[in-house]
Amino acid sequence: MGQAISLPFKLVSTTLTFYRGLFHYLFGKGRNSRYLPPSHPDSRVPSYLRPPPSSSSSSSSSSSSSSSFYASPLFYQHARVHLFTLASEFYLYPRPHYRKSTYAEDLIDNLSNVAIPGTGVPLSLPVRTRPTAFIFVTCAYPAVCLLASLCLYVRTRGRSSVSEEYAIRLLAPDDWFSYWRLNSRISAMHALLNDVPPGYSMENKWTFLERGKGMNVPVSPYLSCPGIVVKHRNEEGGMGIHFYENATAGGEWIIQERICNGRWVSDHLPENAPLSTFRVITQSRGAMDVPNAVGGGCTIDDVTALSCVFRAGREGARTDHVSILFDVDVNTGEVLGGTTNEHWYRLGLSNCTLLNPFFGGATWRNDDHAVTRHPDGDVPVSGSVVPDISGMLRLVESSHLKLCPDVPLVGWDVVLSSDEKLPVCLLEVNLSCNFFRGSFDRRVYLDFLEELIVVMQDARLRADGEGKKFK
């Protein structure tokens, strides 16, 4: 009874912390002064974003329980990083993005096929303008977080804490979508304030392949023919003919040899599965000092591999974007449990299930890596060991150092191929990267982000003082 009575007060307290923290970094002292963590003697971090003296100081990885994370200093650190970058999104909105003319344009494009589970509404709709995005963040976001907390409470039959889950969802969200958007905001802010360092050109697939090949990085092979002509099999005469001019000849298309899954990958997939890759995330301390990184001042010790996920493609799928996401232990190479994030991509009214009395389709987080076998063909996956995981991690770390040491976070798509001459190669890089629900050391990640934010906020304050116009 006591918990039921205290629940509304806890929810109100969390909501007030959200508004106070967001406005602190959006309009208040957090926007117009240096970002200094609580450990700094001159820090101005508000008390409500500092861990209480009684909180646990033990480390917490993504595998820790929600309760232990909620009670740890990492929760408050994550909240500071989340609220700062969320507020910074409104600063970025009209300004240039390294991929698009504005951050808003890139945001709308990226959210066009994503919906909050249970709504069916593309997230691109409420963010089309800065005012509507502000209304969405300040009004709809808390409501959705509360609904997700109630959903989990119903699904677990009362074993979860509504107040703790609400606090995590609103202040320190650890779902795949929130990590993706956090990484995207960090990359956009870093690129803007550093006048788009050269490493961001790796987002262009052709630049990545060409530069990677020139620096002896094992990238996926491409053909040097001028182009190809494709004829539709059911069209007569000159109909159905398509001309693709190769990037090697100045065209817009990259013509490559088909890459096939290697033996280990094929053994863990059903028949007729697509090329299935490993997503590895790396971070580079070179992003803290871009001129030094560009000048060759970084070493391999400045780059760290954070996570690895085996994207086991589904039967009949064209790419591994439709896949089971199996977490991989970066220390041992053991394949752990699998999961999906497909419920975030269900658009349309048929997927609007918020009115379901049991919140059946409003699942923010689905199973906690409970899949051990590939569902298409019942193929065992969990428990296997990825061959030479240390070699794979060294490859992406050295590639980050060679190609883009000035970029803070990079997601690498790594292929274990059937080509004996190129058994391991890099397919592409992703700078607004997605962990795909892979586990990682949360302390290492958050310490890196908070240190980077200190540097970025200093750069923003200098730009403010100079009245800098970004181009």
Side-chain angles (χ1 to χ4, degrees):
M1 179 63 72
Q3 292 181 350
I5 294 175
S6 64
L7 177 61
F9 297 96
K10 291 179 179 179
L11 297 179
V12 169
S13 176
T14 296
T15 307
L16 289 177
T17 297
F18 169 74
Y19 286 127
R20 293 171 71 188
L22 179 66
F23 295 152
H24 171 75
Y25 291 121
L26 188 59
F27 306 119
K29 293 181 180 179
R31 169 62 183 88
N32 301 302
S33 62
R34 297 189 68 199
Y35 182 103
L36 299 173
S39 58
H40 195 283
D42 297 327
S43 175
R44 296 184 180 181
V45 172
S47 59
Y48 52 85
L49 293 179
R50 294 172 179 262
S54 60
S55 64
S56 170
S57 60
S58 61
S59 63
S60 174
S61 70
S62 63
S63 61
S64 300
S65 67
S66 296
S67 294
S68 62
F69 172 53
Y70 175 71
S72 75
L74 287 182
F75 172 82
Y76 294 89
Q77 184 181 27
H78 195 151
R80 293 192 300 270
V81 170
H82 172 61
L83 293 173
F84 176 88
T85 59
L86 187 61
S88 299
E89 200 151 28
F90 296 98
Y91 170 81
L92 292 168
Y93 232 80
R95 291 177 169 82
H97 188 271
Y98 62 88
R99 280 192 303 239
K100 301 285 185 176
S101 59
T102 65
Y103 177 82
E105 183 182 350
D106 187 77
L107 181 67
I108 293 168
D109 284 351
N110 274 284
L111 298 184
S112 61
N113 65 339
V114 185
I116 295 175
T119 65
V121 180
L123 276 169
S124 56
L125 291 181
V127 301
R128 288 195 171 276
T129 68
R130 192 157 45 171
T132 58
F134 180 79
I135 294 172
F136 178 79
V137 168
T138 55
C139 298
Y141 181 38
V144 169
C145 290
L146 178 58
L147 182 61
S149 305
L150 293 171
C151 166
L152 184 64
Y153 181 82
V154 171
R155 288 178 59 229
T156 60
R157 299 183 179 182
R159 291 191 299 271
S160 68
S161 167
V162 173
S163 60
E164 289 183 7
E165 182 68 12
Y166 177 64
I168 292 173
R169 299 276 63 77
L170 187 61
L171 300 176
D174 58 354
D175 56 276
W176 80 272
F177 175 83
S178 298
Y179 277 130
W180 170 43
R181 295 316 309 162
L182 173 56
N183 292 344
S184 298
R185 296 192 292 264
I186 288 289
S187 296
M189 190 82 163
H190 180 267
L192 176 74
L193 295 172
N194 289 282
D195 299 317
V196 190
Y200 283 90
S201 65
M202 292 300 101
E203 189 78 45
N204 182 292
K205 303 301 185 288
W206 174 240
T207 303
F208 162 68
L209 292 174
E210 194 174 34
R211 186 175 176 190
K213 185 176 182 180
M215 299 190 73
N216 294 319
V217 173
V219 297
S220 55
Y222 55 87
L223 303 177
S224 58
C225 60
I228 59 174
V229 180
V230 178
K231 177 74 164 66
H232 193 285
R233 65 179 181 177
N234 290 325
E235 295 285 353
E236 295 183 1
M239 302 293 290
I241 296 178
H242 303 275
F243 297 86
Y244 297 90
E245 188 174 3
N246 202 341
T248 59
E252 296 295 323
W253 298 91
I254 300 173
I255 301 174
Q256 297 181 267
E257 299 177 17
R258 182 180 180 184
I259 305 174
C260 297
N261 292 313
R263 174 62 63 85
W264 186 93
V265 175
S266 296
D267 286 346
H268 295 84
L269 296 174
E271 295 292 333
N272 195 28
L275 180 69
S276 297
T277 62
F278 293 81
R279 167 59 62 87
V280 184
I281 303 294
T282 54
Q283 64 182 31
S284 171
R285 295 187 60 80
M288 309 281 185
D289 186 349
V290 169
N292 180 62
V294 174
C298 283
T299 69
I300 194 63
D301 293 333
D302 294 315
V303 183
T304 304
L306 295 175
S307 67
C308 179
V309 170
F310 172 43
R311 299 192 296 187
R314 301 299 300 265
E315 185 175 13
R318 301 184 65 179
T319 70
D320 63 0
H321 287 84
V322 181
S323 60
I324 306 298
L325 309 172
F326 286 95
D327 191 15
V328 176
D329 188 321
V330 294
N331 296 310
T332 65
E334 181 183 359
V335 181
L336 308 176
T339 186
T340 69
N341 59 3
E342 294 176 9
H343 55 301
W344 282 82
Y345 292 93
R346 294 171 182 166
L347 306 179
L349 293 178
S350 61
N351 291 298
C352 183
T353 56
L354 292 180
L355 299 181
N356 185 319
F358 297 103
F359 305 108
T363 305
W364 192 296
R365 293 186 295 184
N366 57 359
D367 64 87
D368 189 17
H369 292 85
V371 181
T372 60
R373 306 172 74 88
H374 199 297
D376 303 329
D378 195 33
V379 182
V381 180
S382 295
S384 299
V385 177
V386 178
D388 193 19
I389 186 67
S390 59
M392 182 188 296
L393 300 185
R394 285 196 303 271
L395 170 61
V396 294
E397 288 174 343
S398 64
S399 298
H400 196 156
L401 178 65
K402 291 178 181 179
L403 299 176
C404 47
D406 47 356
V407 176
L409 295 160
V410 176
W412 305 88
D413 289 345
V414 185
V415 177
L416 298 185
S417 79
S418 60
D419 187 345
E420 295 181 356
K421 297 179 181 179
L422 196 65
V424 182
C425 67
L426 304 178
L427 195 62
E428 64 179 24
V429 298
N430 300 269
L431 306 185
S432 298
C433 50
N434 187 335
F435 283 108
F436 285 111
R437 299 200 66 187
S439 61
F440 53 91
D441 190 318
R442 188 152 36 190
R443 180 179 296 280
V444 171
Y445 172 70
L446 291 175
D447 283 349
F448 171 77
L449 291 190
E450 195 156 42
E451 188 174 350
L452 182 61
I453 288 173
V454 171
V455 177
M456 292 195 301
Q457 176 67 353
D458 286 347
R460 179 163 64 164
L461 293 176
R462 287 195 300 272
D464 290 345
E466 298 168 358
K468 183 175 181 178
K469 302 295 184 182
F470 295 99
K471 299 180 181 179

